[in-house]
């Protein structure tokens, strides 16, 4: 019994990011790009910060420079449920 609990506790740090990513994928939100940053010593080199309509901040971490270039500061984007990245909104 103790070894079973120990196995679960040692695997938990590897399971949490996948669960969190799945939960984020289900959410829908819309907002404006507040800031764009490049991170030198990070696993994900690019960061886009959004301010949603309800006032929350959402951080989207990106690996590709091409994806990072799609976003412009001050422009409005919407994230749909089931999608990983927000797309330009027509509003």
């Amino acid at each position: 019994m103790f070894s079973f609990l120990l196995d679960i506790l040692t695997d938990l740090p590897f399971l949490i990011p996948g669960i969190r990513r799945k939960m984020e994928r289900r959410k829908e939100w819309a907002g404006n790009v507040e800031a764009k940053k490049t991170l030198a010593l990070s696993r994900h080199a690019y960061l886009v910060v959004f301010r949603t309509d309800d006032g929350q901040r959402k951080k989207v971490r990106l690996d590709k420079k091409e994806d990072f270039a799609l976003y412009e500061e001050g422009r409005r984007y919407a994230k749909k449920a089931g999608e990983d990245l927000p797309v330009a909104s027509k509003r």
Side-chain angles (χ1 to χ4, degrees):
M1 179 70 172
F2 181 72
S3 68
F4 176 72
L5 291 174
L6 188 60
D7 287 342
I8 290 176
L9 290 176
T10 56
D11 292 339
L12 196 58
F14 299 106
L15 296 176
I16 290 175
I19 293 169
R20 187 171 186 204
R21 191 175 310 115
K22 189 173 184 179
M23 288 173 42
E24 278 296 317
R25 191 172 287 145
R26 293 179 183 165
K27 295 182 182 176
E28 285 192 14
W29 52 266
N32 297 328
V33 174
E34 192 173 79
K36 290 175 61 173
K37 301 176 184 178
T38 56
L39 309 169
L41 300 175
S42 177
R43 192 174 84 191
H44 304 288
Y46 305 99
L47 175 71
V48 181
V49 180
F50 293 89
R51 177 69 64 177
T52 64
D53 295 338
D54 59 354
Q56 291 183 339
R57 289 180 63 182
K58 296 282 185 178
K59 295 180 182 178
V60 177
R61 290 170 176 83
L62 305 166
D63 295 328
K64 298 179 186 174
K65 189 173 185 175
E66 297 84 26
D67 292 338
F68 183 70
L70 295 174
Y71 299 102
E72 298 174 19
E73 285 191 43
R75 191 161 179 204
R76 183 171 178 76
Y77 295 87
K79 185 197 165 297
K80 303 289 183 194
E83 299 288 327
D84 288 327
L85 298 175
V87 294
S89 179
K90 295 180 182 182
R91 186 180 139 194

